Amino acid sequence: MRQRDRNRANAHRLRVDGHSIRQIAKQLQVPRSTIAAWIRDEGEWHEYRNCQLCGSAFRVNGGNHRFCTRQHAEKYARMYLAGRKPKQERYRERIRELEAEVYVLRAALEIRDAA
Ligand SMILES: [Zn+2]
């Protein structure tokens, strides 16, 4: 790998880790304008997260994505969610959770209305 390619790859990695353009330029000894051009297509303002399955960083497109790819989301679901408990029991659990939530919200409403 040529030095330039290595620098570029490192710039992306540092960016994903949350470093600023200035910090990356200093660390790699590359002009800031070059760093900026390299990472421009990644979008400076984009949020990165780590895949909950494989740990690799990915760019969040909005929403509460937790996986780098759909395949990993499905794999995670198969590994950790499916087969954990029978579906019916999970639904019953969810119903209890929602009922508790409704109870709390009702109580909050009553308190508000009484005020
Ligand atoms: Zn992944």
Side-chain angles (χ1 to χ4, degrees), residues 51 53-54 56 68 72:
C51 176
L53 183 70
C54 70
S56 66
C68 62
H72 274 186

Side-chain angles (χ1 to χ4, degrees), residues 3-67:
Q3 182 62 37
R4 185 184 164 83
D5 294 330
R6 209 176 359 251
N7 279 341
R8 191 170 177 149
N10 281 330
H12 281 283
R13 185 178 50 76
L14 288 167
R15 188 64 185 167
V16 166
D17 287 344
H19 294 274
S20 69
I21 290 174
R22 187 186 295 269
Q23 289 169 330
I24 297 168
K26 194 173 174 195
Q27 186 166 339
L28 299 180
Q29 298 289 301
V30 173
R32 270 185 303 184
S33 56
T34 306
I35 301 290
W38 284 347
I39 67 177
R40 185 168 298 135
D41 42 321
E42 296 208 353
E44 269 189 66
W45 49 86
H46 281 103
E47 184 192 347
Y48 287 88
R49 286 187 199 146
N50 293 96
C51 176
Q52 199 156 325
L53 183 70
C54 70
S56 66
F58 68 95
R59 198 170 93 186
V60 178
N61 298 316
N64 56 347
H65 298 165
R66 295 182 296 141
F67 302 94

